[in-house]
Amino acid sequence: METVGISNPLPAPTESDRPHRRATFLVVAAAVFASNLDLFIVNVAVPAMQQHFHGSSLATLSWVLNGYAIAFAALLVPVGRLADRIGHRRVFLAGLVVFTAASALCALAPAVVWLDAARVVQAAGAAALMPTSLALLLDATPPAERPGAIRAWASIGGIAAGLGPVLGGLLVEADWRWVFVANVPVGIAAVAVGARVLPGRHGREGGEGGTEDGPLPDLFGAVQLTAAIAALTVSLVKGGDWGWVSPRVLGSLLASALLTGWFLRRSARHRAPVVELPLLRVPSFAAANAAALLFTLAFAGMLLTSVLWCQQAWGYSALRTGLAIAPGPLLVPPVALGSAALVRRLGPGRLAALGTLLFAAGVGWWAAAIDIPPGYAAELLPGLLLTGLGVGLTLPALIGSAAAALPPTRFATGSAITTMARQVGTVVGVALTVSLIGTPHGPQAALDGFRRGWTVVIVASLLSCAAALLLAAAQRRTAAVE
């Protein structure tokens, strides 16, 4: 295993802890399921929101998705570091409370601006949930069983992806607000049970799993990162309207570049930076995160285009859209859980590369086959099956590789960086998709816009494949040294 110079490893759980591990997994699964389900439900609900908030364009409503993803990405690592410092259990439960309360606020939002604000609060709760959920699970799992635990954790997102479109369609048929109300009972139950069963003995030192000593996480660095991602998103979303070489777009791109440089400079000097740069010098960790960012960019574009195509081009209802999309995501859990033999045979890096190629082939099928007259079985379904297979092979391999490259004392921070990379990919993927689709006039213009979006998704998938091959090479070098 590649590590950075961090001491004080945690004691490994024993066989007698198995019942406790099961209870921990159930609570973690409920929280991760709710936060992942929210992503897929909200995608299906975007057209309904557009009808409800009269006069709101797709570009405006894209901030319901991107505002969440930006705040999520910026807060993940500071919260992950805080969890490593004061305890995974404490931060996880706090995040769960915030996420649940913000879900209720989203349901009550009277206008788009209020919905956007509530989504940012919801993202803050999710930012506390996601890295600590994996950290709690790994804290409670013996080292030999951690690859399986990671696959199980990743498969929860796949289950949510599979059920999300269908549940979203059912809920949107009643009212789009129910997509947020659905999180509330799950969150309340998880808090009640988690307060009793989650481990409180893991962390760096003593007490509940942390120590009050040491520097605080770099919150100003999180603000810098938020501003940098937001400026990039504005330039991508508005590029078509403002003109790609207009002063506003070029100014936004320049601002994003300067803020990113300032952020990296600060991260190199701060005692508790948002991105702990020495971690990125671990080759397997860096390659896995680069591949995850690019693949999630492709995945976000694929998901949004499939929802919008079904509802806007083919005139499907929200429920029919959910049912149409579900076969692809439903493939993810069994593929993720059943890929252990392939991981042993090919290695995680090469398996991820294979998954990205299958994903690109699925989207390529859409670009070549889909037309305005609906043809679900021959046009949309084959691409969904290929992309579902690709996601099931790729994401668990990349997440597992990133986690395996770090020591236990960096589980929360490391998983936060990985999830942050994926959220940045989500932001860019959604922004590019919205920009490329635009507001087409006429069926052929719509088809051309979607084909541009699918082309970008294919390119991102192939770049992710290249990064996965770099990961495979780094893993082979590490294995040779060991």
Side-chain angles (χ1 to χ4, degrees):
M1 178 189 296
E2 297 168 88
T3 62
V4 289
I6 302 168
S7 60
N8 196 25
L10 303 178
T14 64
E15 182 63 26
S16 62
D17 293 327
R18 187 171 294 276
H20 191 80
R21 296 205 301 270
R22 292 194 187 102
T24 297
F25 179 78
L26 289 175
V27 173
V28 165
V32 172
F33 179 82
S35 58
N36 278 279
L37 187 70
D38 185 72
L39 169 64
F40 297 100
I41 285 181
V42 172
N43 269 279
V44 174
V46 166
M49 294 176 187
Q50 193 171 6
Q51 292 179 2
H52 179 86
F53 296 113
H54 301 293
S56 296
S57 66
L58 179 60
T60 300
L61 281 170
S62 70
W63 287 98
V64 175
L65 301 174
N66 277 342
Y68 179 95
I70 290 169
F72 192 19
L75 292 174
L76 274 166
V77 179
V79 175
R81 289 187 62 88
L82 182 65
D84 281 339
R85 182 173 180 263
I86 69 172
H88 302 153
R89 175 182 181 273
R90 186 180 301 170
V91 174
F92 176 87
L93 290 174
L96 191 53
V97 169
V98 171
F99 180 84
T100 304
S103 296
L105 292 176
C106 288
L108 297 172
V112 174
V113 65
W114 292 100
L115 179 58
D116 288 342
R119 286 281 283 168
V120 169
V121 178
Q122 193 184 34
L129 278 180
M130 291 303 290
T132 52
S133 67
L134 182 57
L136 282 167
L137 186 59
L138 295 178
D139 282 345
T141 304
E145 298 180 22
R146 281 171 182 159
I150 291 168
R151 286 194 296 272
W153 182 85
S155 73
I156 298 168
I159 294 169
L163 295 178
V166 180
L167 290 177
L170 285 169
L171 294 170
V172 170
E173 289 293 314
D175 193 300
W176 65 264
R177 297 179 189 275
W178 282 98
V179 303
F180 298 109
V181 175
N183 295 325
V184 176
V186 176
I188 291 173
V191 170
V193 177
R196 295 199 302 270
V197 305
L198 290 178
R201 60 185 176 85
H202 299 303
R204 286 198 181 180
E205 300 177 21
E208 199 253 292
T211 173
E212 299 302 324
D213 300 326
L216 291 171
D218 183 14
L219 294 181
F220 183 71
V223 173
Q224 288 178 308
L225 180 61
T226 301
I229 300 172
L232 174 63
T233 305
V234 168
S235 66
L236 294 176
V237 170
K238 292 294 187 181
D241 295 335
W242 292 347
W244 289 104
V245 294
S246 68
R248 285 185 289 183
V249 169
L250 295 178
S252 295
L253 289 172
L254 178 60
S256 179
L258 292 174
L259 286 165
T260 300
W262 187 13
F263 165 76
L264 292 174
R265 180 181 176 87
R266 182 178 178 87
S267 294
R269 297 182 174 186
H270 200 276
R271 293 177 62 198
V274 173
V275 175
E276 198 169 336
L277 296 182
L279 296 182
L280 298 181
R281 290 197 286 269
V282 178
S284 293
F285 185 75
N289 279 285
L293 187 155
L294 291 163
F295 186 73
T296 310
L297 187 161
F299 177 78
M302 180 277 295
L303 180 65
L304 187 57
T305 54
S306 59
V307 169
L308 293 176
W309 180 263
C310 286
Q311 294 196 39
Q312 294 184 357
W314 284 355
Y316 284 8
S317 67
L319 177 58
R320 190 178 180 186
T321 296
L323 292 170
I325 292 170
L330 284 173
L331 268 180
V332 174
V335 171
L337 292 172
S339 62
L342 283 174
V343 171
R344 288 191 294 269
R345 182 169 182 176
L346 298 178
R350 286 193 290 177
L351 183 62
L354 174 61
T356 59
L357 292 177
L358 290 170
F359 185 93
V363 179
W365 180 278
W366 291 347
I370 281 183
D371 208 341
I372 298 299
Y376 176 77
E379 297 175 8
L380 189 65
L381 182 59
L384 285 169
L385 296 178
L386 285 170
T387 56
L389 183 60
V391 172
L393 293 177
T394 301
L395 278 184
L398 295 178
I399 294 169
S401 295
L406 300 178
T409 48
R410 281 297 183 267
F411 280 153
T413 301
S415 64
I417 291 175
T418 301
T419 311
M420 181 188 74
R422 293 170 58 197
Q423 289 303 310
V424 171
T426 297
V427 171
V428 177
V430 169
L432 280 173
T433 299
V434 169
S435 176
L436 292 169
I437 292 176
T439 307
H441 300 285
Q444 188 58 47
L447 181 58
D448 291 342
F450 277 90
R451 282 177 173 160
R452 288 193 297 270
W454 290 326
T455 300
V456 168
V457 168
I458 293 168
V459 170
S461 302
L462 296 177
L463 291 173
S464 179
C465 179
L469 292 174
L470 291 176
L471 168 64
Q475 290 172 332
R476 284 197 300 271
R477 288 195 298 270
T478 302
V481 169
E482 293 178 350

